[in-house]
Amino acid sequence: MKKKGIDRRDFLVGAAAAVTLAGCHSETKPRGEFELPEPTAAQRAKRRQEAQSTVAIVKCKSYDDDIFARVKDHLDELELPSLKGKRVVLKPNMVEIEHGHPITTNPAVLAAAAHLADYLGAKEMIVAEGPGHMRDTEMLLRQSGLGAMAKKLGLPFIDLNLDDIEAVNVADTWTGLHEVFMPKTILDADAVISVPKMKTHHWVGVTCSMKNMFGTVPGRKYGWPKNILHIKGIPRWILDLQHIVNPTFALVDAIVAMEGDGPINGTGIDTGFVVVGKDLAAVDATCCRTMDISLDDIPYIKTAGLVVGNVDENAIKVVGAPISEVKRQFKKPITLLEKGLLANAAHQGS
């Protein structure tokens, strides 16, 4: 049955036409909340201090491969931190379900992350996510297969949208919010592992391990689709959340990625690898390069190189498969082709 109303693709195409017509008279500029200023000295001081970051690109032909075993071969080079005795939260991407679109983290990659955390000594593991659109988390768990996988692994699932929350004081923010309410499951964790799906994204160009932290923001406080994140500016929130959540490392699902009008309505692209690293800025910059997308088109990742970690190619050591072996030219979202559309992004979906 055809959905009633207008979907995102229709909105974007219509908006593109409007922007084109408007361009006949004046230049359309993005809203101020999407412009990232030069970081302050205090913001720069939060950046990881390693001169070089290591990122592994690990080839996996399909989700039937032993993903953990393939990742394990590179652990000496990655130097991931010990999780011995720690309470670990595994944070997959489970935003929505659309038949035929690879939106969510595949359950096999969640399992690989759990086996990796266990190998590194985790005392306790929790799967946690706060979907940004659909309120029926149980349905998402069932249809994505992530609920069945968590049960198979013997791991509890916490809905971060409904979790108990506590206020966190944040200094030197990008959003201007100095008090942010976060779920206790995240605040009480000793380590958070980002387990995202690699996708293009119509508001910020690319979504990967850093943007995946949006699911830690509680819907019970900030609503659906967590509107304050859009009003204050998505790129600004992405940068702030890296220091609020402080994810320990990332395991990116890029076995089947998404191109085009992601993060929901794009199409699948068989890329055949996962990406692992403890510097999420370096992980996401490397993912962009495998997608043949310039960091000049993704301002938040470029800025993350000043306030989160390394994004310069010369400061990232890639182990496993070289970028040249896995690189594919991804179809870009319409907002990267018609950048004036970002002027409307603050009040749309994530």
Side-chain angles (χ1 to χ4, degrees):
M1 181 180 292
K2 187 175 180 180
K3 294 180 181 178
K4 295 182 179 179
I6 187 168
D7 66 18
R8 292 177 180 216
R9 180 69 186 175
D10 293 335
F11 166 79
L12 290 170
V13 171
V19 168
T20 301
L21 290 173
C24 295
H25 303 286
S26 63
E27 180 183 359
T28 302
K29 296 182 179 180
R31 297 173 66 104
E33 60 263 27
F34 284 85
E35 298 169 355
L36 289 170
E38 282 293 313
T40 66
Q43 289 168 337
R44 288 175 181 267
K46 295 181 179 182
R47 182 181 179 274
R48 299 174 70 95
Q49 297 304 309
E50 292 93 339
Q52 187 177 59
S53 300
T54 302
V55 173
I57 298 176
V58 183
K59 285 187 175 182
C60 301
K61 291 182 179 179
S62 76
Y63 292 110
D64 293 328
D65 284 3
D66 190 338
I67 301 168
F68 166 61
R70 294 182 183 278
V71 171
K72 187 179 173 183
D73 290 339
H74 301 283
L75 291 185
D76 287 343
E77 297 166 293
L78 284 167
E79 297 181 341
L80 298 180
S82 170
L83 300 177
K84 186 176 181 179
K86 293 186 176 181
R87 186 173 190 256
V88 177
V89 169
L90 306 175
K91 166 60 178 74
N93 182 226
M94 191 182 69
V95 63
E96 198 164 307
I97 299 291
E98 289 286 346
H99 181 70
H101 299 275
I103 299 168
T104 64
T105 304
N106 189 277
V109 180
L110 175 64
H115 294 316
L116 177 56
D118 181 65
Y119 181 80
L120 293 172
K123 180 181 179 181
E124 179 185 359
M125 284 184 281
I126 298 167
V127 179
E129 168 67 308
H133 291 259
M134 302 186 74
R135 300 192 186 202
D136 191 343
T137 303
E138 291 298 324
M139 184 273 289
L140 290 174
L141 285 168
R142 183 173 61 255
Q143 292 194 4
S144 68
L146 290 168
M149 179 56 73
K151 186 175 181 180
K152 180 179 178 180
L153 295 167
L155 302 180
F157 174 84
I158 299 294
D159 185 344
L160 297 177
N161 281 328
L162 305 178
D163 198 19
D164 290 339
I165 57 176
E166 288 186 2
V168 178
N169 293 321
V170 187
D172 310 306
T173 72
W174 288 86
T175 61
L177 292 176
H178 296 286
E179 183 179 72
V180 177
F181 287 84
M182 295 294 291
K184 277 185 60 61
T185 295
I186 295 296
L187 298 179
D188 292 345
D190 299 309
V192 175
I193 300 174
S194 183
V195 194
K197 171 74 79 174
M198 188 174 83
K199 298 180 281 190
T200 51
H201 192 289
H202 52 213
W203 297 145
V204 292
V206 168
T207 174
C208 206
S209 66
M210 291 192 291
K211 174 66 169 64
N212 190 39
M213 292 300 101
F214 261 40
T216 65
V217 177
R220 65 178 293 185
K221 176 65 178 179
Y222 297 113
W224 284 260
K226 306 184 183 181
N227 292 323
I228 194 168
L229 279 66
H230 305 273
I231 293 169
K232 292 293 183 180
I234 297 173
R236 295 169 184 258
W237 266 105
I238 293 172
L239 297 175
D240 275 350
L241 284 169
Q242 304 320 299
H243 303 294
I244 295 171
V245 179
N246 192 26
T248 306
F249 62 84
L251 171 57
V252 180
D253 175 5
I255 295 174
V256 177
M258 179 183 281
E259 64 178 353
D261 185 27
I264 292 172
N265 292 322
T267 55
I269 177 169
D270 293 330
T271 38
F273 60 89
V274 297
V275 183
V276 188
K278 60 184 179 181
D279 178 351
L280 270 62
V283 167
D284 287 4
T286 301
C287 287
C288 283
R289 293 182 175 108
T290 70
M291 304 162 86
D292 198 23
I293 294 178
S294 170
L295 296 193
D296 289 334
D297 287 332
I298 317 295
Y300 83 88
I301 295 181
K302 192 171 182 179
T303 302
L306 302 175
V307 299
V308 177
N310 291 312
V311 300
D312 189 277
E313 203 163 5
N314 296 323
I316 301 173
K317 178 183 178 183
V318 176
V319 300
I323 292 173
S324 59
E325 274 189 22
V326 299
K327 188 174 184 177
R328 300 280 298 275
Q329 188 172 43
F330 273 50
K331 294 176 183 176
K332 295 178 180 180
I334 193 171
T335 41
L336 283 189
L337 303 175
E338 299 283 352
K339 293 184 180 180
L341 291 176
L342 294 179
N344 302 303
H347 304 293
Q348 306 303 324
S350 66

